[in-house]
Amino acid sequence: MPAGRPLVFELPEEMWEAFTDYVQEVKGNPRYKTVFVGKDGDEKQEALQRPLTMEGFELYLWDKGIARGADQYFTNAEGRYDKFVEVCSRIRKAIRKDQIEGGMVGQYNASITQRLNGLVEKQQTDIKIEQPLFGDDE
């Protein structure tokens, strides 16, 4: 392994544990939206589940002082992080699953979920220009 900064995670299991801690923090701390209910329009706070994101996970690691530049594990620059390829793939898939399923059930904005995950519906429009049988000349 090339010289440089020591690895923050020595084992893939340590990274997975940090990810599960991130999931618990995100799912255990919802965002709140003010809503007005009833005929009197009583103000209430509605809890909204937060989606998992790669950016959120990276910032979680940064904020906890665990790792700066965690994206290097996911890009595997110079093959330094080969033993983390499987856990990084699993983390990406877990985040994508949360976003897609949340979008499908209306928990998250489906349009944003589609764009973030490359699930945009493709439409094909064919334009046919037909040659007239008779010329326009009279």
Side-chain angles (χ1 to χ4, degrees):
M1 184 173 292
R5 246 187 328 197
L7 294 178
V8 174
F9 300 110
E10 291 297 325
L11 300 170
E13 293 80 11
E14 294 171 344
M15 184 178 229
W16 181 253
E17 185 178 336
F19 177 70
T20 59
D21 291 345
Y22 161 70
V23 171
Q24 287 178 338
E25 181 168 301
V26 168
K27 299 306 181 182
N29 294 296
R31 295 187 71 133
Y32 290 92
K33 173 172 89 170
T34 301
V35 293
F36 299 93
V37 296
K39 63 180 173 91
D40 296 328
D42 295 330
E43 186 176 326
K44 303 261 183 195
Q45 296 296 311
E46 179 182 332
L48 301 172
Q49 189 175 120
R50 294 166 41 207
L52 303 176
T53 64
M54 279 303 300
E55 291 79 5
F57 179 51
E58 290 174 15
L59 286 172
Y60 170 82
L61 294 175
W62 186 299
D63 292 345
K64 296 290 183 186
I66 298 171
R68 290 184 179 186
D71 58 319
Q72 294 176 18
Y73 286 87
F74 291 90
T75 58
N76 193 18
E78 300 172 5
R80 288 190 71 198
Y81 307 94
D82 283 344
K83 67 182 178 181
F84 292 90
V85 169
E86 188 176 325
V87 73
C88 288
S89 176
R90 187 173 176 199
I91 289 169
R92 276 194 189 104
K93 287 182 184 299
I95 289 171
R96 189 165 195 243
K97 176 182 181 278
D98 176 69
Q99 292 175 356
I100 292 171
E101 288 180 356
M104 290 176 75
V105 300
Q107 183 178 17
Y108 309 141
N109 181 301
S111 177
I112 294 172
T113 299
Q114 287 174 334
R115 278 183 260 150
L116 286 173
N117 291 287
L119 301 173
V120 181
E121 184 176 311
K122 295 182 181 180
Q123 296 180 354
Q124 182 174 343
T125 304
D126 293 330
I127 299 174
K128 293 181 182 178
I129 300 174
E130 295 185 13
Q131 187 77 18
L133 290 176
F134 305 100
D136 289 337
D137 299 337
E138 292 187 30

